[in-house]
Amino acid sequence: MGHSLSWIAFKGPPLEAGLESLGLSRSGVLGEWGRKSLTGHALPNAWHLVIAPRCNHPLVSDANLAVLSTVAEVIACCVEEHVMFSSAQMWSHGQRVWRVEHDAQLSRRHLVATGQMSASYTLALQQAQAQQDAEDRGPQEVDFYFDVPLQVAQDITGFKHDEANLALDGTPFEVYAPVGGGTRRWWEVWK
């Protein structure tokens, strides 16, 4: 089973202020991340993580990231392992600073980067190129470019959805609720 999820990590404001910028509040209910609800957890390096089910969830819309980034540094990622799509972006002061995206449906080596990329991008790209070169001489089963956006985000926040994390593994995440309640949550566009 492959992951399909979106996540953001923000740093700067208190948790409640960051959640308020997203139209969310703490529920006090604990749950497993990446299932049906928006969930979150503090990361050990002063970032706070919010995970949403499915890739390109409204949580990571440009409008939401712009608002949140007026009060926080923001990293956002989308992951769709079923088609090997990944993206990462950084926002600050209401503006996107950089974005990197991989879509294997276009090419195993597809990678588009815009903006002022972090220093870790160059290293992640060099590693992916070397690994993909070696892979392409063999069975060609692995897509190493998929990890480039996710590695850049991990280098900044300390989180990658498919790697062990001692600060998170085995600990419950808190479920977040939309402010104002109602039967249709702002992010449940399918209802």
Side-chain angles (χ1 to χ4, degrees), residues 10-18 68 71-73:
F10 62 88
K11 183 178 184 176
L15 172 60
E16 286 74 13
L68 179 57
V71 297
E73 283 184 72

Side-chain angles (χ1 to χ4, degrees), residues 33-186:
W33 66 266
R35 298 293 177 201
K36 294 182 180 179
S37 302
L38 294 170
T39 55
H41 201 289
L43 295 173
N45 54 3
W47 288 88
H48 192 83
L49 178 67
V50 180
I51 301 177
R54 81 182 168 79
C55 184
N56 291 323
H57 189 281
L59 175 74
V60 296
S61 70
D62 286 357
N64 282 338
L65 298 175
V67 169
L68 179 57
S69 73
T70 63
V71 297
E73 283 184 72
V74 180
I75 299 292
C77 283
C78 292
V79 177
E80 183 58 71
E81 291 180 347
H82 305 95
V83 296
M84 299 305 283
F85 172 86
S86 63
S87 68
Q89 55 188 317
M90 179 178 193
W91 286 71
S92 182
H93 304 293
Q95 301 291 315
R96 181 181 292 126
V97 177
W98 55 260
R99 177 179 167 81
V100 60
E101 175 183 299
H102 168 72
D103 187 346
Q105 296 172 101
L106 299 174
S107 166
R108 183 174 285 167
R109 292 178 182 259
H110 173 265
L111 202 63
V112 175
T114 57
Q116 302 168 345
M117 295 304 301
S118 68
S120 66
Y121 169 74
T122 303
L123 180 59
L125 177 58
Q126 289 170 346
Q127 289 174 341
Q129 287 171 331
Q131 291 171 316
Q132 199 67 58
D133 288 347
E135 179 68 15
D136 289 350
R137 289 189 294 272
Q140 298 184 16
E141 296 176 355
V142 179
D143 174 359
F144 288 99
Y145 279 71
F146 172 79
D147 274 332
V148 172
L150 307 175
Q151 182 63 50
V152 174
Q154 181 186 32
D155 289 346
I156 296 168
T157 66
F159 177 75
K160 190 165 179 280
H161 74 284
D162 61 353
E163 289 189 6
N165 187 316
L166 295 176
L168 300 178
D169 292 349
T171 63
F173 279 56
E174 184 172 11
V175 175
Y176 296 137
V179 174
T183 57
R184 180 175 176 241
R185 298 177 186 126
W186 64 266

